[in-house]
């Protein structure tokens, strides 16, 4: 496939502006990293405070969480492949791969909400103990970010279908991929230390 | 502007064309493997305790760095240098915050008076009351 | 159990103020608001206000708006201080003063919260906005719209934090609201919720600013200005913004967890259910300590500029100054436990943080020595900015020494939470941060407004502040050593504290007189602005790029973006080709500038609604507020008409007129 030339003017100033935007968004992601670090610190301090309620190994279902993890990892791959399709100039490729990314992300979020719902129904809600408060907040914040990503991605797909490879859409695609990969990075540690960690 | 060069122009992808399917697929397979190894180690409990914890931590850290290099394309080349500097500083803060908090809270918790139940149990043992 | 109506949440008429001082406070706030709104309506200023100011994305206008909001809140904060000083001077033995205990607690909580989050942070944002882009030779910050959003989020937080004057009450849990006192069990009223949500909203504004200025410094410097050719103020802002970006998320999390405890009954910091309230103290100070360096570093940067210019000498030890900034940035994340030595951690933990605290005094010491070395053999002019520096250098060193005393954990066991601590941190913040920002404002005033400040009133103001501060806080050091606990609204007569409290109250009045002189200075200078006019753009013989522009600065900042070869770029330029504006070019290129937008204001309005709604449990309004903000944000991301062009002819005309005025003013002098 041949590369796609865009009619919008993209001189030195525009290049600098978009580089600055990407850098700025990356800095924001780093502040988000510190946000998650604070939540991890809280979890690390409170995870043993079960206040007569369940501990992690009592309620977490590892195969379920493994499935979630693999789904999110796969979505990270499809997201990266979407970026490559944009490089090649294939709008169809970008839209399809982004859609798959969002569907996988949606499945991940659905599974997470299902898990939360099950816990709450069984009486293990976030108001029960320090451990559960910390768990729901840490994993819930990650879920909230995933939801924001789904919103971001959906609007991006609509925009791509509507306007194609404009400078704005390419820039948004760049930011989206950064965001989505970042969320998988954070999930590595949630999976390892919250879920696997409960059984060590 | 064309889509081929846009992502390199805005310093998101490195300029070499070696980036492509290879980086993403290799990164994916490596992450997959590391995830599964960690999972099965914990499920099968072939190692236990602190060793297992360290193993899982190591596997997580390796996967982290693989995803950072393969998915985020954060390397030591010129175009990523500023992002890399901010990234390293973030890791420093993250490390201090988590490890510092854990150390401090452990020390504080260890020096707390025992709770009501524990205190009563202790007194019972000591005095038979 | 409280009735919560689905429409009004917890709101009820019974929560309006009902004691004289509280009613006075509410009435004053409402009357001020009405006066301002009426004035604007009467003078038909709404349209130009909206068009040119409220929707502005120009860093200079945003900086000015920050300045106005912060100055107003400074007055409120000082009134709170007067009330506290009066209470502690009068409330001895049999007498219980003029304010009851609960009200006193709300006052000291409000005083601290307002002064740190809204006055100090606001002044800092004002000065950085006004000056930083000029210093690095840029046309604006990296993200002008985000800059406007940050200001309006700050203002939304400022409005929310003042609503307790009118309905409900404020937090009585101190400026940091430790649980369990700030938990729902011991603070069942909305006070702590007001505190949480006004800080959350303002905090997000600060975080966005931090990212914005960080990216601005890294990506938008003039051509040739490498990191080691940046002015010192720029370096300190870089350090401070790094701290903002990485410390504020901790605050966001901690406030959220406290609000989850209060609103949804979770167990992060509760006494029961597996909570650990010590974790709150740990996290809030992991943010809190970097926060004080966030405020302090730009003040240090201002002093570096002021000392160099008013000693007519380049700053001594530039490299060691840069290294000390970087050291402070790293170290400020390694000392936070010194705020709670007495919470009971073991010897190893306390010793580690005690040693790190002692170490962090060193880079600041390096800076003080470098400023003194800069003055040595300089041609010193004691204009007002330099006076503020002199006051700083003496008081800050003494207060810093008090800090190093408390850095030793065993000494701190005696001094923690006494008035000695209160005296120490006020010395740091007033003589460091506040004097620094006063120095910056008086130094850069002619650049921002185009006319000088009257020197006589400036001097009067300084001496009142300096002596007032010594009289207000000197006694507090002594009282602390005598064992006086902080935050008490009553002391028994046989402690013998009253004489010192009376001296302290007198000192507070003197500070009030200083503030009065500052207001008079501004009014006088505005009245006489024609005779105080500065057409040169460089009244102090400055060294850095901001002085190369006309005053006030035109909206595009620089007609031609400067190219830099050395440090103190403007000074070097003047040495090579003399003072005065550069040669007028034959023609100037069109300049593309970002367009004004009301989106920042509207998003912040929704945020304010959401904050108010969550405080009062009006859930439908909370949903409206949050969704509204998100929708406007999304719409904004699709806005393509975001720039306008300033024609080359307009630039030419502005530049030409400046040179004409400059020549005329030079003729008058001769």
């Amino acid at each position: 496939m041949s590369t796609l030339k865009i009619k919008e003017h993209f001189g030195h100033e525009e290049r600098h502006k978009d580089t600055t935007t990407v850098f700025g968004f990356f800095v924001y992601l780093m502040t988000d990293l510190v946000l998650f670090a604070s939540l991890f610190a809280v979890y690390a301090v409170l995870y043993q405070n079960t206040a007569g309620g369940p501990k992690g190994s009592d309620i977490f279902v590892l195969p379920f969480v493994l499935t979630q993890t693999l789904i999110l990892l796969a979505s990270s791959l499809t997201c990266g492949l979407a970026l490559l399709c944009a490089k090649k100039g294939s709008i169809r490729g970008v839209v399809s791969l982004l859609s798959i990314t969002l569907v996988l992300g949606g499945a991940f979020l659905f599974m997470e909400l299902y898990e939360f719902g099950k816990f709450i129904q069984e009486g293990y809600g976030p108001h029960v103990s320090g451990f559960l408060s910390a768990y729901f907040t840490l994993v819930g914040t990650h879920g909230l970010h995933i939801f924001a990503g789904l919103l971001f991605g959906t609007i991006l797909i609509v925009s791509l279908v509507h306007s194609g490879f404009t400078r704005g859409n390419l820039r948004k695609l760049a930011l989206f991929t950064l965001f989505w990969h970042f969320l998988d990075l954070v999930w590595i540690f949630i999976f390892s230390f919250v879920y696997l960690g409960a059984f060590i | 502007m064309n889509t081929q060069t846009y992502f390199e122009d805005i310093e998101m992808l490195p300029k070499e064309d070696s980036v492509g399917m290879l980086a993403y697929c290799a990164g994916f397979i490596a992450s997959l493997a590391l995830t599964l190894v960690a999972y099965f180690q914990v499920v099968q409990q072939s190692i236990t305790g602190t060793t297992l914890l360290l193993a899982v931590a190591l596997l997580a850290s390796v996967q982290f760095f693989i995803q950072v290099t393969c998915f985020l394309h954060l390397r030591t080349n010129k175009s990523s240098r500023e992002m890399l500097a901010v990234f390293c500083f973030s890791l420093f803060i993250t490390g201090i915050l988590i490890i510092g908090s854990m150390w401090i809270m452990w020390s504080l918790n260890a020096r707390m008076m025992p709770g009501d139940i524990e205190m009563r149990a202790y007194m019972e043992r000591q005095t038979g009351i | 159990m409280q009735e919560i109506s689905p429409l009004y949440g917890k709101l009820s008429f019974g929560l309006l103020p009902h004691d004289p001082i509280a009613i006075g406070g509410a009435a004053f706030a409402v009357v001020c608001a009405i006066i301002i709104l009426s004035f604007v309506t009467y003078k038909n200023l709404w349209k130009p206000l909206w068009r040119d100011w409220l929707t502005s994305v120009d860093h200079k206008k945003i900086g000015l708006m920050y300045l106005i909001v912060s100055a107003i809140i400074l007055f409120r904060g000082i009134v709170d201080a007067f009330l506290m000083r009066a209470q502690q001077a009068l409330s001895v033995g049999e007498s219980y003063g003029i304010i009851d205990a609960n009200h006193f607690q709300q006052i000291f909580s409000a005083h601290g919260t307002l002064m740190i989050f809204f006055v100090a942070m606001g002044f800092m944002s004002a000065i950085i906005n006004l000056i930083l882009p000029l210093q690095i030779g840029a046309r604006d910050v990296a993200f002008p719209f985000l800059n406007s959003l940050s200001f309006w989020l700050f203002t939304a937080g400022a409005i929310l934090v003042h609503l307790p004057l009118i309905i409900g009450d404020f937090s009585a849990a101190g400026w940091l609201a430790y649980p369990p006192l700030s938990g729902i069990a011991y603070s069942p009223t909305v006070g702590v919720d007001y505190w949480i949500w006004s800080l959350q909203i303002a905090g997000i504004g600060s975080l966005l600013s931090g990212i914005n200025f960080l990216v601005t410094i890294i990506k938008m410097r003039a051509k040739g200005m490498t990191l080691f050719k940046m002015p010192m103020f720029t370096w300190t802002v870089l350090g401070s913004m790094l701290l903002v970006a990485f410390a504020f998320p901790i605050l966001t999390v901690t406030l959220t967890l406290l609000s989850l405890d209060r609103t949804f009954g979770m167990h992060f910091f509760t006494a029961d259910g597996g909570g650990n309230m010590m974790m709150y103290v740990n996290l809030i100070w992991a943010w809190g300590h970097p926060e004080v360096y966030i405020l302090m570093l730009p003040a240090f940067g201002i002093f570096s500029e002021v000392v160099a210019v008013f000693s007519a000498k380049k700053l001594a030890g530039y490299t060691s100054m840069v290294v000390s900034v970087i050291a402070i940035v790293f170290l400020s994340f390694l000392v936070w436990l010194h705020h709670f030595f007495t919470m009971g951690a073991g010897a190893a933990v306390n010793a580690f943080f005690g040693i790190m605290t002692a170490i962090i005094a060193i880079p600041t010491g390096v800076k003080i020595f470098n400023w003194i070395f800069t003055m040595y053999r300089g041609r010193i002019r004691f204009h007002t900015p330099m006076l503020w520096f002199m006051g700083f250098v003496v008081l800050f060193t003494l207060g810093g020494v008090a800090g190093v005393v408390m850095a030793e954990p065993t000494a701190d066991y005696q001094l923690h939470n006494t008035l000695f601590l209160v005296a120490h941190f006020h010395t740091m913040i007033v003589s460091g941060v506040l004097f620094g920002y006063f120095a910056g404002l008086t130094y850069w005033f002619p650049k921002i407004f185009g006319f000088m400040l009257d020197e006589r009133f400036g001097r009067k103001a300084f001496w009142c502040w300096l002596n007032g501060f010594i009289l207000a806080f000197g006694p507090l050091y002594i009282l602390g050593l005598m064992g006086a606990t902080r935050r008490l609204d009553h002391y028994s007569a046989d402690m013998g504290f009253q004489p010192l409290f009376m001296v302290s109250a007198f000192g507070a009045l003197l500070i009030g007189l200083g503030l009065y002189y500052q207001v008079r200075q501004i009014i006088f200078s505005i009245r006489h602005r024609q005779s105080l006019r500065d057409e040169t753009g460089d009244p102090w013989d400055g060294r850095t790029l901001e002085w190369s522009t006309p005053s006030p600065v035109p909206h595009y900042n620089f007609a031609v973006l400067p190219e830099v070869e050395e440090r103190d770029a403007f000074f070097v330029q003047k040495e090579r080709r003399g003072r005065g504006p550069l040669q007028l070019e034959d023609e100037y290129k069109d300049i593309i500038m970002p367009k004004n937008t009301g989106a920042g204001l509207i998003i912040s309005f929704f945020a304010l609604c959401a904050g108010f709604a969550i405080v009062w449990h009006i859930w439908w309004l909370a949903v409206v507020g949050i969704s509204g903000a998100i929708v406007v944000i999304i719409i904004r991301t699709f806005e393509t008409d975001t720039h306008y062009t300033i024609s080359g002819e307009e630039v030419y005309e502005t530049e030409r007129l400046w040179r004409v005025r400059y020549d005329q003013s030079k003729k008058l002098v001769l």
Side-chain angles (χ1 to χ4, degrees):
Chain A
M1 273 180 247
S2 62
T3 66
L4 198 65
K5 259 200 152 31
I6 315 301
K7 287 199 205 78
E8 288 162 282
H9 174 67
F10 191 68
H12 179 257
E13 289 230 3
E14 288 75 16
R15 182 172 305 152
H16 188 247
K17 185 92 193 36
D18 283 0
T19 313
T20 304
T21 305
V22 167
F23 179 70
F25 191 76
F26 184 80
V27 174
Y28 152 69
L29 286 179
M30 294 298 101
T31 69
D32 232 1
L33 190 66
V34 175
L35 191 120
F36 277 107
S38 314
L39 289 169
F40 269 107
V42 170
Y43 183 80
V45 167
L46 291 181
Y47 79 98
Q48 289 169 319
N49 295 15
T50 49
K55 53 188 195 293
S57 50
D58 295 333
I59 50 175
F60 297 153
V61 180
L62 279 187
F64 187 81
V65 178
L66 179 68
T67 316
Q68 271 186 287
T69 308
L70 298 179
I71 288 176
L72 196 64
L73 186 58
S75 76
S76 215
L77 174 67
T78 54
C79 180
L81 295 178
L83 194 68
L84 290 183
C85 279
K87 253 186 87 164
K88 285 207 213 101
S90 157
I91 189 100
R92 271 233 187 107
V94 175
V95 170
S96 337
L97 282 163
L98 267 187
S99 304
I100 299 174
T101 307
L102 295 185
V103 165
L104 290 172
F108 173 90
L109 194 58
F110 179 77
M111 291 177 77
E112 186 159 287
L113 289 171
Y114 172 80
E115 189 188 32
F116 279 7
K118 197 167 61 112
F119 289 166
I120 293 173
Q121 243 188 345
E122 289 169 4
Y124 312 136
H127 54 283
V128 166
S129 69
F131 156 67
L132 284 167
S133 298
Y135 163 75
F136 271 91
T137 307
L138 172 59
V139 178
T141 304
H142 181 267
L144 203 63
H145 279 78
I146 294 275
F147 176 73
L150 294 180
L151 195 62
F152 186 177
T154 309
I155 295 174
L156 178 57
I157 290 177
V158 169
S159 184
L160 279 167
V161 167
H162 183 262
S163 326
F165 282 133
T166 60
R167 178 181 154 214
N169 282 341
L170 285 174
R171 186 177 59 235
K172 284 184 188 137
L173 179 62
L175 300 184
F176 175 79
T177 59
L178 281 179
F179 188 69
W180 200 255
H181 290 313
F182 169 76
L183 289 180
D184 196 40
L185 283 175
V186 174
W187 184 259
I188 296 172
F189 292 103
I190 295 180
F191 175 67
S192 305
F193 292 112
V194 173
Y195 290 106
L196 292 185
F199 292 90
I200 295 178
Chain B
M1 149 178 88
N2 60 55
T3 60
Q4 166 80 26
T5 54
Y6 180 78
F7 297 103
E8 285 136 16
D9 284 341
I10 62 171
E11 293 177 13
M12 251 209 77
L13 297 178
K15 285 209 163 24
E16 318 91 61
D17 220 29
S18 63
V19 171
M21 292 285 283
L22 189 63
Y24 282 112
C25 290
F28 174 73
I29 291 171
S31 301
L32 188 62
L34 289 163
T35 307
L36 291 172
V37 168
Y39 177 81
F40 283 110
Q41 291 284 25
V42 170
V43 162
Q44 287 164 0
Q45 298 272 326
S46 43
I47 37 173
T48 51
T50 326
T51 335
L52 181 57
L53 185 64
L54 285 173
V56 168
L58 185 68
L59 290 165
S61 309
V62 171
Q63 195 186 147
F64 180 74
F65 280 107
I66 286 181
Q67 289 205 17
V68 165
T69 42
C70 293
F71 290 171
L72 287 182
H73 311 292
L74 207 63
R75 307 210 182 113
T76 49
N77 54 32
K78 190 172 187 297
S79 64
S80 334
R81 198 161 292 158
E82 285 154 356
M83 288 201 260
L84 191 61
V86 175
F87 178 68
C88 290
F89 188 69
S90 322
L91 289 185
F92 167 72
I93 304 293
T94 303
I96 287 175
L97 188 60
I98 296 179
I99 294 172
S101 295
M102 285 174 73
W103 184 39
I104 291 169
M105 295 311 294
W106 167 81
S107 177
L108 288 166
N109 285 334
R111 290 162 58 85
M112 282 282 276
M113 284 289 287
D116 196 32
I117 304 167
E118 299 157 295
M119 197 61 177
R120 252 185 263 159
Y122 171 79
M123 283 168 68
E124 250 169 68
R125 281 198 305 274
Q126 296 298 97
T127 60
I129 295 169
Chain C
M1 205 58 219
Q2 194 163 17
E3 279 287 306
I4 300 186
S5 123
L7 188 58
Y8 296 114
K10 298 200 276 187
L11 278 173
S12 90
F13 283 111
L15 294 163
L16 291 165
H18 37 249
D19 79 82
I21 293 187
I23 293 178
F28 187 77
V30 170
V31 163
C32 279
I34 291 176
I35 290 178
I36 295 172
L37 293 173
S38 313
F39 177 77
V40 173
T41 314
Y42 175 69
K43 290 257 182 180
N44 251 323
L45 289 173
W46 282 113
K47 250 220 176 95
L49 191 67
W50 176 266
R51 190 190 57 222
D52 299 328
W53 288 90
L54 303 185
T55 57
S56 176
V57 296
D58 178 356
H59 67 97
K60 304 181 282 296
K61 294 217 165 79
I62 291 175
L64 216 50
M65 291 193 287
Y66 266 115
L67 194 58
I68 293 169
V69 174
S70 305
I72 294 173
I73 301 181
L74 175 65
F75 281 101
R76 156 82 196 274
I78 287 198
V79 167
D80 284 332
F82 281 169
L83 287 171
M84 287 190 280
R85 285 286 124 253
Q87 173 69 13
Q88 287 185 327
L90 299 169
S91 169
V92 182
E94 292 299 303
S95 159
Y96 280 83
I98 47 175
I99 306 167
D100 68 75
N102 179 265
H103 196 184
F104 186 82
Q105 287 152 18
Q106 290 180 45
I107 290 176
F108 69 65
S109 306
H111 173 80
T113 305
L114 289 169
M115 288 304 204
I116 300 248
F117 287 98
F118 296 98
V119 177
M121 291 295 285
F123 275 153
M124 181 185 83
S125 301
I127 296 176
I128 297 177
N129 259 302
L130 286 163
I131 301 299
L132 180 82
L134 293 168
Q135 260 209 356
I136 60 172
R139 290 242 156 78
D140 207 318
V141 295
F143 306 113
F145 164 68
L146 216 61
N147 203 9
S148 161
L149 179 61
S150 289
F151 167 71
W152 284 110
L153 286 173
F154 169 81
T155 305
I159 293 173
L160 192 57
V161 87
H162 280 84
L163 290 180
L165 280 174
I166 299 168
I167 185 152
D169 60 353
F170 193 62
S171 162
W175 79 280
L176 283 180
Y178 287 359
L181 178 59
S182 58
I184 196 75
Y186 294 99
S187 288
T189 63
V190 294
V192 174
D193 297 304
Y194 265 128
W195 179 84
I196 290 174
W197 289 100
S198 58
L199 294 189
Q200 277 287 42
I201 296 174
I204 292 178
S206 295
L207 181 62
L208 293 175
S209 275
I211 299 173
N212 208 346
F213 293 129
L214 184 63
V215 176
T216 304
I217 295 175
I218 299 209
K219 288 287 191 187
M220 313 220 9
R221 279 167 283 136
K223 189 152 171 254
M225 187 185 276
T226 61
L227 284 175
F228 275 79
K229 295 198 182 114
M230 297 195 310
M232 210 50 223
F233 176 66
T234 307
W235 263 113
T236 55
V237 172
L238 178 62
S240 173
M241 295 302 109
L242 268 170
L243 292 176
V244 168
F246 292 104
F248 268 79
I250 304 174
L251 179 72
T252 307
V253 166
T254 314
L255 292 175
T256 305
L257 299 184
L258 183 63
S259 78
L260 287 173
D261 268 3
R262 288 177 59 85
T263 313
F264 295 111
M266 296 204 199
H267 289 290
F268 291 103
F269 309 123
T270 52
D272 64 331
N276 192 335
M277 56 209 67
M278 299 189 290
M279 188 55 176
Y280 179 93
V281 175
N282 176 59
L283 283 176
I284 205 78
W285 281 114
W287 163 80
H289 194 83
E291 164 67 4
V292 307
Y293 284 100
I294 287 167
L295 297 173
M296 204 57 240
L297 281 173
F300 286 166
I302 292 172
F303 287 130
S304 293
E305 302 291 333
V306 164
V307 172
V309 166
F310 290 94
S311 309
K313 240 182 104 202
K314 79 167 194 253
L315 185 68
Y318 180 91
T319 309
S320 65
M321 292 294 252
V322 171
V323 171
S324 60
V325 170
I326 296 173
I328 289 173
V329 168
F330 277 93
L331 287 170
S332 65
F333 277 105
L334 291 169
V335 299
W336 80 89
L337 187 128
H338 70 231
H339 297 274
F340 50 95
F341 278 137
T342 59
M343 199 155 74
V349 178
N350 276 356
F352 171 77
F353 282 96
I355 293 170
M356 295 311 292
T357 307
I359 292 176
I360 202 175
I362 297 175
T364 306
V366 164
K367 285 180 142 355
I368 302 242
F369 279 115
N370 272 320
W371 288 318
I372 296 175
F373 291 151
T374 309
M375 288 172 72
Y376 178 68
R377 285 193 165 205
R379 275 178 293 115
I380 304 175
R381 297 171 285 154
F382 282 104
H383 290 281
T384 312
M386 197 60 179
L387 289 176
W388 289 114
F389 168 74
M390 299 306 298
F392 152 82
V393 101
V394 173
L395 287 179
F396 192 82
T397 308
L398 292 171
V401 166
V404 178
V405 168
M406 285 189 291
E408 210 286 279
T410 52
D412 189 65
Y413 264 76
Q414 185 67 33
L415 296 167
H416 180 62
N417 274 350
T418 62
L419 290 177
F420 187 88
L421 170 68
V422 173
H424 159 72
F425 66 68
H426 278 92
T427 311
M428 297 289 98
I429 297 184
V430 173
S431 75
V433 175
L434 202 58
F435 282 17
Y437 293 166
F438 285 161
L441 289 168
T442 48
Y443 172 57
W444 279 309
F445 188 93
K447 174 53 56 189
I448 303 164
F449 293 102
F451 56 95
M452 309 294 290
L453 278 172
D454 174 75
E455 270 297 307
R456 294 164 306 147
F457 281 123
R459 274 197 289 277
K460 285 194 168 79
F462 164 71
W463 287 110
C464 284
W465 266 96
L466 183 70
N467 293 310
F469 180 84
I470 292 171
L471 285 174
F473 288 93
L476 295 189
Y477 280 107
I478 302 168
L479 285 165
L481 288 167
M482 286 164 73
T485 308
R486 70 188 288 203
R487 290 180 174 169
L488 294 182
D489 66 302
H490 177 83
Y491 295 87
S492 72
D494 53 344
M495 299 304 293
F497 293 158
Q498 192 178 25
L500 287 167
F501 274 127
M502 305 230 73
V503 174
S504 180
F506 176 72
L509 287 175
L510 207 51
I511 292 178
L513 188 62
L515 204 59
Y516 163 77
Y517 279 128
Q518 285 172 309
V519 173
R520 272 202 74 177
Q521 180 191 38
I522 292 173
I523 294 175
F524 181 90
S525 310
I526 293 175
R527 276 228 181 95
H528 293 87
R529 62 187 181 279
Q530 290 308 336
S531 59
L532 289 166
R533 189 100 181 80
D534 164 61
E535 291 293 0
T536 64
D538 181 25
W540 306 119
D541 197 14
R543 309 179 74 88
T544 40
L545 284 174
E546 72 271 23
W547 301 107
S548 69
T549 57
S551 304
V553 183
H555 38 304
Y556 50 78
N557 293 359
F558 300 93
V560 176
L561 288 175
E563 287 187 23
V564 162
E565 284 166 31
E566 296 181 42
R567 251 170 241 166
D568 286 349
F570 180 56
F571 191 76
V572 166
Q573 179 192 308
K574 282 190 288 187
E575 278 189 327
R576 289 203 187 126
R577 41 170 306 281
R579 297 185 71 166
L582 291 169
Q583 180 91 342
L584 187 67
E585 302 278 337
D586 291 328
E587 59 176 315
Y588 289 95
K589 285 209 213 95
D590 289 350
I591 298 178
I592 300 178
M593 294 294 290
K595 220 180 189 178
N596 287 0
T597 169
L601 193 156
I602 296 172
I603 293 170
S604 305
F605 172 73
F606 277 117
L608 175 60
C609 290
F612 182 80
I614 299 177
V615 167
W616 291 102
H617 292 204
I618 309 173
W619 303 119
W620 65 267
L621 184 59
V623 170
V624 165
I626 296 173
S627 335
I630 293 176
V631 165
V632 178
I633 293 172
I634 293 175
I635 294 175
R636 172 70 194 176
T637 61
F638 284 98
E639 186 62 68
T640 43
D641 179 24
T642 51
H643 289 80
Y644 72 102
T645 313
I646 302 178
S647 68
E649 289 86 41
E650 189 185 326
V651 177
Y652 179 84
E653 209 30 46
T654 313
E655 295 293 312
R656 186 187 69 83
L657 283 171
W658 175 35
R659 283 154 180 80
V660 164
R661 292 195 310 266
Y662 180 87
D663 292 332
Q664 280 173 349
S665 73
K666 283 285 154 211
K667 287 205 188 81
L668 284 171
V669 169
L670 293 168

